[in-house]
Amino acid sequence: MSITAMQRSLEKAVARASLADDRDLAGRLRDEGQRLVFLLNGLVRSSRLYQADNAAMDGLATETSQMLKRLLALLGAVHIVMVEDQIYVNEVRVRMKEREQELLDQLMLELGRHEVGGLSFHSPLEPEDIKSVGRALAATAAEPGHARAALGGRLSGLPGVELGGRYRFRLKGEKLAVTRDTGEILRRGATLVQETLAQLAGDRLPHPLLVRRVVIDLVDTLGDTPSRAAIVPLRRSVHGVGTQHLLSVTTLALQLGRAVGLPDAALSDLGVAAMLHDVGYTRSGRGGHEVAGARMLLRQRGFHEGKIRRLQATLEHHLSAEGGPSLFARILRIVDDYDVLVAPRPGAPQLPPPTAQAAMWAARGTLYDPDLLALFVRTMGLYPPGSLLELSDGRWVVSLSGARAIGHATAWKTWTSSCCASSCGRSGC
Amino acid sequence: MTEGVDGSDEPKTPFPAAAEADTGEGGEQKPQGLGPRYQRVSSLLTRLAATARSFLLYDAGNEAINRFLTGLLESLVSTLQSEGQLVLAVLPYELKLDDQPVYLNRDRERSLAFRLHRDGVRTLTLRKGFQAEELTRLLEILSIRYTGVNQREDDMVTLLWKARFEHLDVGKVEGIVPEGTEGSTDEPTAGSPGVALPDDLDLPRPELPPPKGPTWIEVAPERLQALCDEVGEAALPADCLALLGRLRRELAEPRHAMTFGEVAHLFVEVRDYLLSVDRLAALKRFGALLWEMAGEDTPDWDPGRHAAVYDLLDSCGDRRAVRRLLRSVPAEERRLRPDLIEVLDRVCPEPLVAVMDTLAEEEGQATRAVARQALEHYARRKPGLLEQRFLLSRGRAAADLLRVMMHVGGEAAAGFVAQQCLHADAAVQDEALWHLARMPYSGALGRSLFEAFRMADSARRGRILEIVARSADTRFLAPLASFVEERAGQLATDEASHIGRVLGILGGAESISRWQAWLQPAGGRRKGFEGPLARVVAAATALAFIRAEAAAEALGAAFDDADETSQPWILGALAQRQRQAWEAVR
């Protein structure tokens, strides 16, 4: 690679990256972020001096409310984060002149009393709500170790306000991440899914980066043990049906994406899309969850190809292949339906994996993309994990591994008839 | 957290020499007391950090960046050659090799260590074999993380993972926030109620045809490639438009009662993306989509939609958008494409004004060239507007407009352009002279030239003289000669020689006596001529360019009377004649 080619490549990469931001936005953010910090500081101090209905509070609260509304329109969510002696508003450091640093220090002190290092606003607040925030921050802090929780309790009526912990550098005691087994990653994924759903349901901005970190770990581990992905839908999860569904769709989608030969960057986008594809259910109940989900995900600002394809997948994952949905949506349609067919659901009979696969195969080319479904079958095997089979010698076996590849024998577990029946609960098995 | 945000929208500045130094122009401090081995690594890391920063500040195509990259690559390869591998521990502000600090920068906005540490990177292991391609990928990642207001998709760890380095291992810690948090993270925070998806999600199960046993089918490699291409970079513009089209349909659904405000930012993001990646066909479709949306009825649940769509349409033709659009033409191409005009027509209510506004701020030569061509296209309809703007403009912007006027107006604009030789702005004078040198000569042009000659500085007088020499208009002879006589005391010899050449060309043999008079010997026993040196130089040069033998004789005679200062000029004139004679023979 020549140096000139390096320069060209770098130039393009930086131009691409800058799409997520722009200079005007950063400038406005710096100015208005600084003003917001001043206003919040003034609000806390005034709350100690004046009653809430005092006119002196009205102007301050109204201006803060308007400022917040403007910033939310720009950014989707406003994050004020304190690191050591500096304040950042959505990644942009608020610059203070020397004489203004005192105001910044005051606000940090106020938040620090409550063991709070960050304050996020996810939705606009009326002036009265702003006053409540001011009063809560001005109030006496609870005892150490409980202060943040206590403040959180005081602000519980304002779901759009989120408190963050204090930041400091940790120099010791960190453990480097090492390769874990799929189960551990899935457990972490389940927790994250639940947190993400709660965030989104609370009208907060999606944070795909957290999800992406888990997806990346999944991609790494599933690559080593492909059959693990195929097993996931059959597991019962303590985290609930919905969470299990998202995890199993994610693992199967990654498996299918890998079979397609997608590069890692696209795989991670696919995994994030799979993890978030049904978030609309937290809003819509039944029907219309695709649009409801897209509306939640749409709140995220900044251009990223992952976001574009995630939105497409969320909106289109129940479309038939004939309708021309995006690749991610076509992948999700297959793995989503497969999981729905084979996974245990309260009150709904599940299909044996080979039957589910055969039923889907019958809709190959109409509901399902023919090439992707063929790859899915190759990935799962003709007898996907969980398939119960009777051998010619009368024994029953259950398939444990998915893919059938040259040099790889399908893994089986042999059961006696009674053992199997007690295990799978299916009569006549 | 990032202070600096990419300024790719803005003109990049030249790469300063200081940035090439490895002594911490970006806040890097040189750790003290290092041995040669550590010093070498320290220098390498400082260069790496400086290079990553430089792409946000300077034009990446810069020659100096080329040198800087070359130096960095050589240094990296040779270090890895001798070290085998470099295992660097990442601390908040430092990088350590064998527990020895080799990089230190406490400036959070500039520190390479801070950015790595913040995202959870704790060790970097560079191994032998790390070459240009991997260095490029690493620099891309480091540069990208120097930008960011809305970066919620990737961090250093995910970007490094995506890059799949062969000769770089990354040790990371869990989570995206490397800084430890005080207090339990399990504490509930305001407004985070537990939420679960319903147990019956996606039920009832899909209705499918009777099962039909699957068969083992190979998917052809070209089909696999086609699937992969669907998520390639080339497919992204189409995906963006497909998504917007889909959202448009959802916006029309009364049961969703979705407002345009919910999606407006996505439209803007897609617009900016399309503007930046040279996707004119996609941009046209984007414009068409907006116009179609603007023509739709405003639904009851979203009374502000019509106005919002029009606002967006307007913003597609704003200065920033037009600038991006013009910049989308590759620098090496510099040509206005018909597609670009179509897009401008679609998105700009007043494309001529929008392009003129853009031109006023644009620094890049290639973009300015495209902008001028666009103006030529639009100004044919409204030439008056161009002239008005020219009169209000200064410097390079005015010069650009003058060029457009010349191209649009042709012969008719010649007089106006000629007058601009007298413009107060040097850039405009230069532009005007450039055109005058190339347009057919006329009396009007001659008058303008002469006026300009009297007003201009010596550099521009030289350019005017060239035009005059080519014009062969003998009417210039007298005023030029007067000019020399009037200003002989102040004229530099170079300029006098230049004027002399034109005097000789225009005057021919009939003017020999006049130049001879300028070489009139001083009276008495004094050696030398009567007039100042500049007049002597002009006369000698004029005689050098007159073919008649009498001119040579006049020079020969003058040489005898010349003093030491004048003699070289007369000798030079004689030599010039000789050279011309030889060239004529050849």
Side-chain angles (χ1 to χ4, degrees), chain B residues 418-449:
Chain B
Q419 287 168 21
Q420 304 319 314
C421 293
L422 302 172
H423 198 278
D425 210 314
V428 178
Q429 288 177 24
D430 285 339
E431 183 67 31
L433 286 171
W434 190 89
H435 290 288
L436 295 183
R438 285 156 183 80
M439 67 172 64
Y441 187 76
S442 66
L445 175 57
R447 280 190 294 279
S448 298
L449 282 174

Side-chain angles (χ1 to χ4, degrees), chain A residues 46-305:
Chain A
S46 302
S47 297
R48 291 211 180 89
L49 299 172
Y50 307 112
Q51 295 291 323
D53 56 356
N54 190 305
M57 291 294 290
D58 290 341
L60 203 55
T62 305
E63 193 184 346
T64 310
S65 170
Q66 287 167 349
M67 173 69 69
L68 195 58
K69 197 174 172 185
R70 279 201 299 276
L71 283 172
L72 282 166
L74 278 177
L75 304 165
V78 178
H79 304 283
I80 299 171
V81 178
M82 275 147 254
V83 185
E84 297 180 357
D85 59 345
Q86 295 177 350
I87 288 190
Y88 293 82
V89 176
N90 291 45
E91 303 267 320
V92 169
R93 184 168 72 88
V94 175
R95 285 179 182 156
M96 296 283 174
K97 293 181 184 129
E98 208 167 316
R99 58 190 163 81
E100 294 167 340
Q101 182 66 33
E102 192 187 341
L103 299 174
L104 189 141
D105 292 344
Q106 283 170 359
L107 181 62
M108 292 172 81
L109 202 66
E110 296 290 359
L111 293 174
R113 290 189 310 113
H114 297 283
E115 295 167 344
V116 166
L119 204 51
S120 297
F121 298 95
H122 295 271
S123 52
L125 295 177
E126 293 301 321
E128 285 309 311
D129 298 332
I130 293 281
K131 287 182 191 173
S132 302
V133 174
R135 279 198 302 278
L137 289 172
T140 310
E143 59 190 66
H146 303 283
R148 183 152 67 98
L151 181 63
R154 275 182 227 135
L155 294 173
S156 58
L158 301 172
V161 182
E162 185 185 10
L163 304 176
R166 280 202 300 230
Y167 290 84
R168 63 179 162 76
F169 285 126
R170 183 191 283 172
L171 297 174
K172 290 178 183 171
E174 285 180 339
K175 286 181 183 166
L176 283 183
V178 290
T179 310
R180 290 161 302 268
D181 70 43
T182 314
E184 189 188 332
I185 297 166
L186 288 172
R187 277 193 294 281
R188 192 156 58 84
T191 309
L192 180 65
V193 164
Q194 288 174 329
E195 286 171 5
T196 304
L197 292 176
Q199 291 279 322
L200 290 170
D203 241 355
R204 292 175 184 174
L205 216 59
H207 203 330
L209 179 54
L210 299 166
V211 179
R212 193 179 295 277
R213 280 277 188 113
V214 172
V215 167
I216 282 174
D217 286 343
L218 271 177
V219 171
D220 283 342
T221 51
L222 292 177
D224 298 334
T225 52
S227 61
R228 304 297 289 265
I231 296 285
V232 174
L234 304 171
R235 289 181 172 177
R236 284 176 190 277
S237 167
V238 294
H239 296 288
V241 169
T243 302
Q244 176 63 15
H245 172 68
L246 293 180
L247 290 173
S248 96
V249 166
T250 302
T251 48
L252 290 171
L254 291 175
Q255 201 64 36
L256 182 49
R258 175 154 280 171
V260 171
L262 295 183
D264 284 344
L267 270 184
S268 75
D269 286 343
L270 172 63
V272 176
M275 203 77 106
L276 299 175
H277 78 283
D278 270 343
V279 293
Y281 274 114
T282 59
R283 280 287 173 79
S284 68
R286 217 177 272 127
H289 73 280
E290 302 97 322
V291 174
R295 289 170 92 163
M296 295 161 94
L297 300 178
L298 262 168
R299 295 191 62 226
Q300 186 194 340
R301 298 299 200 271
F303 185 88
H304 191 282
E305 61 180 302

Side-chain angles (χ1 to χ4, degrees), chain A residues 7 9 18 21 84 86 91 93 95 174 177 204 212-213 264 286 307 310 340 345 349 371, chain B residues 2-3 6 60 108-109 119 122 140 148-150 153 164 172 190 200-201 205 223 230 256 269:
Chain A
Q7 284 177 282
S9 175
S18 71
D21 304 306
E84 297 180 357
Q86 295 177 350
E91 303 267 320
R93 184 168 72 88
R95 285 179 182 156
E174 285 180 339
R204 292 175 184 174
R212 193 179 295 277
R213 280 277 188 113
D264 284 344
R286 217 177 272 127
K307 183 174 93 169
R310 179 159 63 244
V340 169
R345 293 290 186 89
D371 291 333
Chain B
T2 313
E3 169 78 18
D6 171 47
R108 287 200 193 95
E109 275 110 41
D119 286 356
R122 293 296 179 267
E140 279 177 13
V149 173
N150 278 320
E153 288 282 351
R164 289 295 188 196
K172 64 182 196 297
D200 61 349
L201 87 162
R205 291 189 159 110
R223 291 293 312 142
E230 286 190 52
H256 300 321
E269 287 161 15

